[in-house]
Amino acid sequence: MNATRKLIANYIRAWNETDPLRRRVLIEDVYAEHAIYTDPLAQARGWEAIDMTIDAVQGMFPGHVFTLAGDVDAHHDLARFHWHLAAPGADEPLVIGFDVAELDEGRIRRVHGFLDKVPMAA
């Protein structure tokens, strides 16, 4: 596994980690200290805000798991990848997304997140 694919795998692991201390270690390993995460529903700057964003998403979708959906495509200091969020054993993912990560010295500097499929509000 190349370094970029491993970094993105750990990015996904951070989004799945429910233990706050282990999640924070992953966040600090994956993201630059003042990294920015942006998607249509959230914007976070820095480790603390990214941690709070992940915690909020886990609270909205308890028991659901993020998985990579295909290969990580990377060149220069950019990586793009699709991901799914689903309950274990589900036939269809509840949420489908696409992220582009800007990298800096082996860490993520910025994430541009896109949501391709989101659940309808009741």
Side-chain angles (χ1 to χ4, degrees), residues 75-94:
H75 65 83
H76 296 88
D77 292 328
L78 298 170
R80 68 177 181 149
F81 51 95
H82 286 91
W83 51 264
H84 291 167
L85 176 64
D91 292 334
E92 295 274 330
L94 184 62

Side-chain angles (χ1 to χ4, degrees), residues 41-91:
L41 304 175
Q43 184 167 25
R45 178 187 289 270
W47 292 335
E48 185 70 26
I50 291 169
D51 194 7
M52 289 173 27
T53 299
I54 293 172
D55 187 58
V57 170
Q58 290 176 353
M60 290 172 57
F61 302 102
H64 288 66
V65 177
F66 287 92
T67 57
L68 274 176
D71 292 329
V72 175
D73 185 23
H75 65 83
H76 296 88
D77 292 328
L78 298 170
R80 68 177 181 149
F81 51 95
H82 286 91
W83 51 264
H84 291 167
L85 176 64
D91 292 334

